[in-house]
Amino acid sequence: MDSKETFENAKQELYNVDTVIDIKHNPVISAFISSIKKVPIIGDLIDDSLECTLKDFQSKKQQQLLEVISNVPAGIVTPDMVSDVEFIMSFAKTRDAVNKVLNGDKVKYYGNLLVNGYLMEREKIATDEFEEYLELINSLSFRELEYLAFFQECAQRYHGRLIYQNWKEFCRVFENKFPNRNVYFVFKRLQRTGFISEVIETADVEGETLSLDINSIGFETESEFSRFNEIVLKKF
């Protein structure tokens, strides 16, 4: 059995593991369904419809995750990789996270984390780092992940720094790519990731009292961003 066939078999076994969180049994959803089911006929119809809709939605997201993983180039994946306990546990945690997302577009980033972290020809990701990156993906919206990826793509041409004219040019391109967004506030908020920082310029202002004039001149990437980009944002 070659490595690709081994991976396909292991992938199918993982897919069949019963680790799916059933949204329908969430306490809030259960309470809602219980109240609706008191309505004759309509209650049962809604219950059945919700059951089918949730299963279909979860299935589509899980399939997306498996498709991302399946794109690993042939010959790279070995039987040891997919039988590794850490990979199996991480797969289960990732699928758990995928089941909770409302936007299926984010699934590709979860898939990247698994593939780049465990299934490529490099040292596998440390458990703590995997969990930190998984939590970061959970906490960021799909758009925010796209913003970070776009910033990294542009900033790497200027050694990770977009300031002065380069920042102004970036803002112009960003506004064309992502309309109706305030570029400054987008990246001001994204500083919470620890991956980017605002670049401030100060100057003494003379007057009755000496004060500082503080101006924002752009943003720059932090050293940790490169690793996150390689594992999560970058396509393999």
Side-chain angles (χ1 to χ4, degrees):
M1 182 182 298
D2 61 26
S3 61
K4 186 172 180 59
E5 186 178 356
T6 300
F7 176 63
E8 289 297 323
N9 290 340
K11 182 186 73 173
Q12 188 58 46
E13 289 177 13
L14 286 169
Y15 182 76
N16 291 331
V17 174
D18 188 20
T19 59
V20 178
I21 292 179
D22 187 354
I23 294 177
K24 185 182 172 187
H25 295 144
N26 177 284
V28 177
I29 301 297
S30 296
F32 169 74
I33 293 174
S34 296
S35 62
I36 289 295
K37 288 186 72 172
K38 294 177 182 178
V39 181
I41 302 178
I42 295 178
D44 290 334
L45 289 175
I46 289 179
D47 188 28
D48 292 342
S49 175
L50 182 60
E51 181 82 34
C52 292
T53 300
L54 288 176
K55 284 183 178 179
D56 183 57
F57 183 54
Q58 298 295 59
S59 177
K60 284 180 179 178
K61 290 187 296 179
Q62 290 178 31
Q63 186 59 38
Q64 281 179 271
L65 177 62
L66 293 178
E67 286 172 0
V68 173
I69 297 174
S70 297
N71 287 328
V72 179
I76 289 182
V77 179
T78 67
D80 287 342
M81 287 179 178
V82 294
S83 60
D84 180 73
V85 173
E86 283 186 29
F87 170 72
I88 294 173
M89 294 299 295
S90 296
F91 180 92
K93 289 179 180 179
T94 304
R95 198 171 67 170
D96 180 20
V98 165
N99 285 336
K100 295 177 181 178
V101 300
L102 295 178
N103 188 341
D105 292 333
K106 276 180 68 172
V107 172
K108 69 178 183 179
Y109 293 114
Y110 288 108
N112 287 349
L113 175 58
L114 278 175
V115 172
N116 292 324
Y118 292 99
L119 303 179
M120 300 300 283
E121 296 175 313
R122 65 175 76 169
E123 185 179 354
K124 70 180 180 181
I125 191 171
T127 302
D128 287 344
E129 187 178 31
F130 170 83
E131 292 182 346
E132 288 166 6
Y133 286 174
L134 184 65
E135 184 57 35
L136 271 168
I137 301 173
N138 290 341
S139 67
L140 294 166
S141 69
F142 171 71
R143 284 196 313 189
E144 288 177 320
L145 288 163
E146 293 283 282
Y147 298 156
L148 284 172
F150 185 63
F151 186 88
Q152 172 67 12
E153 179 186 338
C154 296
Q156 65 184 359
R157 304 172 199 159
Y158 304 101
H159 308 290
R161 252 186 161 215
L162 291 175
I163 57 175
Y164 296 125
Q165 191 57 40
N166 291 334
W167 170 249
K168 291 178 181 178
E169 176 61 19
F170 171 79
C171 290
R172 184 188 66 79
V173 177
F174 184 94
E175 287 168 351
N176 286 333
K177 187 175 178 67
F178 306 101
N180 305 317
R181 305 298 298 164
N182 184 306
V183 188
Y184 173 76
F185 287 112
V186 163
F187 290 98
K188 187 75 172 175
R189 286 195 300 272
L190 284 174
Q191 285 188 104
R192 73 184 190 274
T193 63
F195 294 144
I196 61 171
S197 297
E198 185 176 6
V199 182
I200 300 295
E201 184 177 66
T202 61
D204 292 338
V205 178
E206 294 185 3
E208 293 183 4
T209 58
L210 185 64
S211 62
L212 286 178
D213 185 24
I214 301 175
N215 295 303
S216 175
I217 59 173
F219 287 82
E220 63 184 354
T221 60
E222 297 294 340
S223 57
E224 288 293 319
F225 191 19
S226 177
R227 174 70 171 167
F228 183 77
N229 180 63
E230 287 293 321
I231 298 295
V232 175
L233 301 179
K234 194 174 182 180
K235 296 178 181 178
F236 50 87

